[in-house]
Amino acid sequence: MSKTTKALAALGVVAGLGVAALPISASAAVINNGVTMHDGVGTDDATNKYDGTQDGNVSDTVTVRTEIKDTLTLTIVGADDGEGTTENHLVLLGTDGELKNGGNGTGSATVNVATNNLGGYKVNMNGEATGFNGQTNAGQKFAPIADNTTAFPTTGASVFGYQTTKEDAVTNVTLANANWNGIKDTPALIATGAAATEAAGDTFTITFQAHASESQAADIYDEVVTITATTNL
């Protein structure tokens, strides 16, 4: 309220003493049954004390911000890893890593993927261009098994392949193909996660298997397999 308005309000209190003829402005206080009335924005309490401090409503904003970085981890454990192994995970096929002619051998690796990415993730796998071949004689090979093979062969030519499996409780993971497949020398999709994972991540298993023909030459056969996880955009 301006100084002029305050002055007029004071005159209004004593209007009964002979100054009622003085003009009262539109924003002045008037007396109604002995109570001072104000046409400004404010309040009168029980003692007729006028509070004009509530004339305005002023606001501003503050932005509260933090950032959670995109995270992705891939953990692999080979069935035959030594204590403290963190890379070059080992999977041996056969009894203590020995495969008999005409026989089959299997081994597995456990894969765990954890991410906070809402789009989830995908996992690709590829082998070496040389394939599953002999260390001494690189020309000796196990051929990649035909994709989508339902039952791994126990007779015939030497073949090598893999199968992915998961527990029923792992609902976030979708396997690209649950049957036996050959390992490609370029990245091939083996599993996807539909959404961000729990802190413990999603776990699935890759089982490798080889069948040796009756005439497969003696040698140590191996292949380095690369497993890669990426987030979905």
Side-chain angles (χ1 to χ4, degrees):
M1 183 179 291
S2 67
K3 291 182 180 179
T4 302
T5 304
K6 288 181 179 178
L8 291 173
L11 289 173
V13 174
V14 295
L17 300 180
V19 293
L22 290 174
I24 299 176
S25 70
S27 60
V30 297
I31 295 176
N32 184 2
N33 296 325
V35 177
T36 305
M37 306 297 292
H38 302 274
D39 61 355
V41 178
T43 59
D44 283 300
D45 61 19
T47 62
N48 294 333
K49 181 180 178 181
Y50 181 66
D51 181 9
T53 61
Q54 301 179 19
D55 288 354
N57 184 357
V58 179
S59 66
D60 201 351
T61 62
V62 60
T63 299
V64 181
R65 175 179 295 163
T66 189
E67 180 180 10
I68 298 177
K69 295 287 189 179
D70 200 21
T71 62
L72 174 68
T73 62
L74 173 69
T75 305
I76 302 172
V77 178
D80 301 287
D81 281 356
E83 184 177 353
T85 300
T86 58
E87 57 184 17
N88 297 325
H89 301 283
L90 182 62
V91 176
L92 298 176
L93 306 184
T95 303
D96 296 326
E98 183 179 353
L99 185 61
K100 302 290 187 181
N101 285 104
N104 284 50
T106 62
S108 64
T110 301
V111 179
N112 177 274
V113 183
T115 183
N116 62 359
N117 186 282
L118 291 178
Y121 61 87
K122 59 184 176 182
V123 181
N124 291 310
M125 183 172 71
N126 64 280
E128 297 176 290
T130 53
F132 193 62
N133 65 331
Q135 291 185 1
T136 303
N137 188 345
Q140 291 292 315
K141 298 177 181 289
F142 283 64
I145 193 172
D147 287 345
N148 205 31
T149 298
T150 55
F152 205 94
T154 57
T155 61
S158 296
V159 290
F160 172 61
Y162 75 94
Q163 182 182 47
T164 51
T165 56
K166 65 183 180 72
E167 300 294 333
D168 292 339
V170 184
T171 58
N172 193 45
V173 176
T174 299
L175 303 176
N177 191 319
N179 291 323
W180 293 98
N181 296 276
I183 297 178
K184 314 298 186 293
D185 59 6
T186 56
L189 183 68
I190 62 172
T192 57
T197 68
E198 299 292 339
D202 294 336
T203 300
F204 63 94
T205 301
I206 305 174
T207 300
F208 301 95
Q209 186 165 183
H211 167 71
S213 71
E214 297 287 351
S215 59
Q216 188 67 42
D219 206 336
I220 297 176
Y221 295 82
D222 63 9
E223 180 173 3
V224 176
V225 176
T226 301
I227 301 165
T228 306
T230 56
T231 55
N232 290 326
L233 301 178

